[in-house]
Amino acid sequence: MDVPVVNGSISGQPHVFGTKGRRDDQEIPLSWDNDCQEFKGAYAPSGSGGPDEGSRETVAEVTLRDVALASGCSVATVSRVLAGTRPVGAETVRTVRAAAERLGYRPNHVARALRSRTTGTVGLVLPQITNPFFPSLVRELEHALHAEGRAVLLADCDDDPVTEAARIGAFLGRQVDALLLIPVDERRSREAVAAAAAQVPLVLLDRGCGPGVADSVAVDNAAGMALVLDHLAATGRRRPCFVGAAGTASAAVERRAAYEAGAAALDPTAPGRVELGDFSVAWGRAAADRVWPSRPDAVICANDLIAAGALQRLRQLGADVPGEVAVTGFDDIPLAGLADPALTTVRQPVGELAAEAARLLSRRPAAADPASRHTVRLAPQLVVRGSSVPVDAAADATAGG
Amino acid sequence: MDVPVVNGSISGQPHVFGTKGRRDDQEIPLSWDNDCQEFKGAYAPSGSGGPDEGSRETVAEVTLRDVALASGCSVATVSRVLAGTRPVGAETVRTVRAAAERLGYRPNHVARALRSRTTGTVGLVLPQITNPFFPSLVRELEHALHAEGRAVLLADCDDDPVTEAARIGAFLGRQVDALLLIPVDERRSREAVAAAAAQVPLVLLDRGCGPGVADSVAVDNAAGMALVLDHLAATGRRRPCFVGAAGTASAAVERRAAYEAGAAALDPTAPGRVELGDFSVAWGRAAADRVWPSRPDAVICANDLIAAGALQRLRQLGADVPGEVAVTGFDDIPLAGLADPALTTVRQPVGELAAEAARLLSRRPAAADPASRHTVRLAPQLVVRGSSVPVDAAADATAGG
DNA sequence: GCAGCATGGGAAAACGTTCTCCGGAAACTT
DNA sequence: AAGTTTCCGGAGAACGTTTTCCCATGCTGC
């Protein structure tokens, strides 16, 4: 459909450069001052006279050299004052600071990066930003990283290992200081990840990528699954079944293994009742159809998407949730709280994951030594909602590790 | 003195990189957007199975100078060959290319940025990545931008204009080539946005920020609302009501205005039935309580979150959806297809929004002139699902995701 | 008085590109 | 044959920092 764009150009012709009176909280307009009568002869063509009526369009950047000139000392000194790399006389510090502020000096990160060989930038590479679990993780990572003054370069791989490798390469070419990576595939991502890890600090997030490849931080899937099983057992469920995902992704494998281990305690035949598909709502719906005939009293899903699909389909099939059957998810994505009834699930400690990842990244020592790889597992939290216990009893219990 | 670099020793080594299948038909890249593409060898997993690997550790970067030395010509020539900025003799091109590939040369983006005063980086600043409408937009933007060789710096503002201003400033300090911005607040973001727009190309996305401040691209909210109203009228609804958001955000205002304009045609008293809160599920639930007593036959919501809440609550109140009352949303976030019944909604042309934004960014001309601001409005698409028509009739106008 | 040593500051060399000059040679003009 | 243009290629100057030397001082301790 090529419905034409309603391409209207907002008019706004009358007021062009107004707004001169009420700009009191504005910072100093970096351009001219009587001290530095000699500015940017180089490429500032509009050295036209006049008191600069505020056309701050392409004002040439103020450089260290300008500040040096204005404060009567050398570039080196100015750098030292501003970067604090070496003690400088109190008096000098004062003049330099003043000049810098007066001129509105802003350091050029690119030049700094070139010289100091560190860009203050980390690349964040993830499979699909549209996976509903990722946004909150991205958010926390962004906050954690920005808090230490680093900027985040984002890449979305479209769930494709080839794209992933390309993005990693692009980031490396841009000399990121480090990489944060949620691998697309445990196996097919390995090669590119290992290669990248040899060049910059790299932390794997949420999913693993084979042993010894890189540092990694993730939720303790086994503990999470145990929380779910304990809760279900405590509320009298005896015939659980598991709806998970096939494949080698660590989350899929670990959650399934943990279910099988834990469910055996509940019911010796339970570990057999396992259906595997993928991490999607559609699979959740399909799995419900396959599972419901055997009348389980708990459907434990490997993530919230599956759970949402299963829940929806179960109700369509006439099942009473949670009366007849409980449904649980994993991750606590926003959707979980919105389902009807709201999903009991395992909340990932997103903030801590981000903090831990940031911490690992900052570790200076050359972590090229495979022996020093760290794998951090963080404790999740059970969030009990209506899908596993009747509403009146669902007091949103939270149980930590 | 550090470990000697790759500098001198050119030949004699059994080069690690197999020069397999040299494609000599390769054109000299004329634009800088796809340059380094061909040098994947540098970071690519060193030929799985290659004889010696470990040597690829933290080797000092190969520079232009190294390539020049190895190929027996000057740095300038190498630069020209690789960047394709000026024609170079065929013979020279060949030797240089060979040397570059053999040494695994990868251009240093930082140095390039410093010299050419362009980083190939755009900053993407948004209110909250956790807002479910944004991830797909971010995804499209990332793809569009990466496709032209630009990297995306991401910032999440936590819905706070102050943080937003700080992030914008940080990006400017990192000399992004341009800014893509979804303003937090139409009014409170304005100052920072205007200041930034004076320094780099800036495109507003999804939401406006006052007239003439910057280029902007967004969905045509009025057209979207009209699609909804037409659909509802065509299916016999006669007593619509609107649940929207208060405030000055452009989406809120435009959607409400469009409803009021369009609904008057349907029912003269309809424009009065308007409830305003915010763009949240909670408000949707609350609004359902307020609205249901007057028994509307259609609840038109300003976005999908509101609609999801309203839908959920209406059903809890015993309403028959869609038999008794239709519910519609706006945006087509993933949640919309998952609701029960699935939400009829207006799908934003996310891909086109991203493409258009990218296009506007690349416009070279000094867009400082307020008269040349562009405001692009893209046509949305109606997605009919179960919340507005009985299932058997809901032939999902478009294949949902 | 002189070696020894902090301390504060400057000149200039990197960092790895791109790009502007410039010069020489070859290829056309006149 | 002498100019004139075109074509290739090199030297080297930026770009804006950080950092390494180095040189003044002024002070201590002998």
Side-chain angles (χ1 to χ4, degrees):
Chain A
M1 94 186 245
D2 2 352
V3 179
V5 299
V6 185
N7 194 348
S9 61
I10 280 287
S11 62
Q13 61 260 50
H15 51 298
V16 184
F17 279 121
T19 340
K20 65 171 181 178
R22 51 183 195 76
R23 213 168 259 279
D24 41 11
D25 58 331
Q26 188 66 323
E27 76 292 338
I28 297 104
L30 53 78
S31 57
W32 97 294
D33 212 324
N34 25 6
D35 279 16
C36 62
Q37 73 286 43
E38 187 177 59
F39 41 102
K40 319 270 80 92
Y43 52 88
S46 60
S48 57
D52 182 298
E53 74 290 355
S55 88
R56 48 175 191 253
E57 47 179 291
T58 318
V59 183
E61 282 299 317
V62 177
T63 77
L64 270 193
R65 195 171 148 278
D66 298 318
V67 178
L69 252 40
S71 64
C73 61
S74 77
V75 181
T77 303
V78 176
S79 171
R80 290 196 269 254
V81 168
L82 266 21
T85 47
R86 246 186 50 181
V88 176
E91 176 63 18
T92 317
V93 167
R94 215 168 305 132
T95 25
V96 168
R97 285 253 168 77
E101 185 165 349
R102 178 155 39 83
L103 299 183
Y105 169 75
R106 309 266 306 158
N108 182 322
H109 279 238
V110 173
R112 174 177 300 180
L114 177 61
R115 177 59 228 228
S116 61
R117 320 193 64 79
T118 150
T119 55
T121 290
V122 336
L124 173 54
V125 181
L126 41 75
Q128 285 238 65
I129 182 72
T130 48
N131 177 325
F133 170 61
F134 294 147
S136 63
L137 189 53
V138 170
R139 174 175 176 279
E140 296 297 331
L141 287 169
E142 195 269 357
H143 288 347
L145 260 12
H146 259 287
E148 17 181 276
R150 324 175 81 156
V152 178
L153 239 22
L154 181 77
D156 177 300
C157 303
D158 239 347
D159 248 333
D160 172 27
V162 177
T163 308
E164 181 179 54
R167 295 290 201 265
I168 292 176
F171 280 174
L172 254 23
R174 284 178 183 277
Q175 358 281 119
V176 294
D177 288 347
L179 279 175
L180 234 34
L181 196 135
I182 307 179
V184 165
D185 185 277
E186 169 123 23
R187 204 177 56 256
R188 289 179 300 159
S189 295
R190 183 146 36 197
E191 209 174 354
V193 170
Q199 301 204 21
V200 296
L202 185 152
V203 171
L204 257 22
L205 228 64
D206 187 53
R207 315 177 180 178
C209 203
V213 172
D215 289 341
S216 99
V217 25
V219 70
D220 187 337
N221 287 303
M225 200 46 77
L227 287 176
V228 168
L229 287 167
D230 285 353
H231 163 66
L232 291 175
T235 50
R237 312 284 174 175
R238 287 297 174 269
R239 289 185 47 80
C241 74
F242 181 78
V243 180
T248 57
S250 53
V253 173
E254 293 175 10
R255 292 174 193 180
R256 169 156 48 103
Y259 166 78
E260 287 171 351
L266 211 61
D267 169 4
T269 74
R273 290 196 295 278
V274 164
E275 297 282 343
L276 298 183
D278 59 16
F279 284 121
S280 74
V281 176
W283 162 240
R285 292 201 192 97
D289 284 325
R290 303 175 60 161
V291 138
W292 186 230
S294 66
R295 290 298 184 278
D297 64 359
V299 176
I300 299 170
C301 303
N303 81 350
D304 288 341
L305 290 178
I306 298 176
L311 175 57
Q312 192 180 69
R313 188 78 188 113
L314 281 174
R315 299 192 73 200
Q316 285 171 359
L317 292 173
D320 170 23
V321 181
E324 208 170 353
V325 54
V327 175
T328 68
F330 207 111
D331 289 347
D332 197 25
I333 64 177
L335 172 65
L338 263 33
D340 191 21
L343 269 177
T344 288
T345 189
V346 175
R347 175 177 302 163
Q348 296 219 29
V350 188
E352 297 168 40
L353 285 170
E356 193 60 28
R359 201 183 64 77
L360 278 179
L361 278 192
S362 311
R363 245 184 358 153
R364 269 289 155 247
D369 175 22
S372 75
R373 301 284 190 220
H374 285 241
T375 294
V376 178
R377 292 295 183 155
L378 296 176
Q381 194 181 19
L382 182 69
V383 180
V384 178
R385 299 205 185 93
S387 73
S388 70
V389 293
V391 260
D392 52 335
D396 237 40
T398 58
Chain B
M1 286 304 208
D2 286 304
V3 185
V5 242
V6 194
N7 284 350
S9 61
I10 342 144
S11 51
Q13 294 274 24
H15 29 287
V16 201
F17 304 103
T19 323
K20 56 182 180 182
R22 262 191 54 90
R23 21 181 75 242
D24 230 339
D25 53 329
Q26 197 115 7
E27 289 294 332
I28 298 180
L30 278 184
S31 57
W32 58 66
D33 57 23
N34 66 343
D35 45 12
C36 55
Q37 218 75 332
E38 51 202 298
F39 300 114
K40 266 172 57 181
Y43 67 88
S46 49
S48 53
D52 78 319
E53 258 114 52
S55 61
R56 191 123 302 282
E57 300 255 337
T58 316
V59 184
E61 281 301 316
V62 177
T63 78
L64 270 193
R65 196 172 148 277
D66 299 319
V67 178
L69 253 39
S71 64
C73 61
S74 77
V75 179
T77 302
V78 177
S79 170
R80 291 196 269 254
V81 168
L82 266 20
T85 47
R86 246 185 50 180
V88 176
E91 173 66 16
T92 318
V93 166
R94 214 166 305 132
T95 25
V96 167
R97 282 254 171 77
E101 187 165 347
R102 179 156 37 84
L103 299 182
Y105 170 75
R106 302 225 64 206
N108 181 323
H109 274 71
V110 172
R112 173 178 299 181
L114 177 60
R115 178 57 230 233
S116 61
R117 318 192 65 77
T118 152
T119 54
T121 291
V122 334
L124 173 54
V125 181
L126 41 75
Q128 284 238 65
I129 183 71
T130 49
N131 177 326
F133 170 62
F134 294 146
S136 63
L137 188 54
V138 169
R139 174 175 176 279
E140 295 298 330
L141 288 170
E142 195 268 358
H143 288 345
L145 260 12
H146 260 287
E148 20 182 272
R150 323 176 80 157
V152 178
L153 238 22
L154 180 78
D156 176 300
C157 303
D158 240 347
D159 248 332
D160 173 25
V162 177
T163 308
E164 181 178 54
R167 295 291 199 264
I168 292 176
F171 280 174
L172 253 23
R174 283 177 183 278
Q175 358 282 122
V176 293
D177 288 347
L179 279 175
L180 234 35
L181 196 137
I182 306 178
V184 166
D185 185 277
E186 169 123 23
R187 204 176 56 256
R188 289 180 300 160
S189 295
R190 184 143 39 198
E191 203 173 355
V193 170
Q199 301 204 23
V200 296
L202 184 153
V203 171
L204 258 21
L205 227 62
D206 187 53
R207 315 177 180 179
C209 203
V213 172
D215 289 341
S216 99
V217 24
V219 70
D220 187 337
N221 287 303
M225 200 46 77
L227 287 175
V228 168
L229 287 168
D230 285 353
H231 163 66
L232 292 175
T235 50
R237 312 285 174 174
R238 288 295 176 268
R239 289 184 46 80
C241 74
F242 182 78
V243 180
T248 57
S250 53
V253 172
E254 293 175 11
R255 292 174 192 180
R256 170 156 48 104
Y259 166 78
E260 287 171 352
L266 210 62
D267 169 3
T269 72
R273 288 195 297 278
V274 164
E275 297 282 344
L276 299 183
D278 59 17
F279 284 121
S280 74
V281 176
W283 161 239
R285 292 201 191 98
D289 283 325
R290 304 174 59 161
V291 139
W292 186 230
S294 66
R295 289 299 184 276
D297 65 358
V299 176
I300 299 169
C301 304
N303 82 348
D304 287 342
L305 290 177
I306 298 176
L311 174 58
Q312 192 179 69
R313 187 78 187 115
L314 281 175
R315 298 190 75 201
Q316 286 172 358
L317 293 173
D320 170 22
V321 182
E324 208 171 352
V325 54
V327 175
T328 68
F330 207 111
D331 290 346
D332 196 25
I333 63 177
L335 171 64
L338 264 34
D340 191 22
L343 268 178
T344 288
T345 189
V346 175
R347 176 176 301 163
Q348 296 219 29
V350 188
E352 296 168 40
L353 285 171
E356 192 59 29
R359 200 185 63 77
L360 278 180
L361 277 192
S362 311
R363 247 185 355 153
R364 268 286 153 250
D369 174 21
S372 76
R373 301 285 190 217
H374 284 243
T375 294
V376 178
R377 292 294 184 154
L378 296 174
Q381 194 182 16
L382 182 69
V383 180
V384 177
R385 298 203 186 94
S387 73
S388 70
V389 293
V391 257
D392 51 336
D396 236 36
T398 62

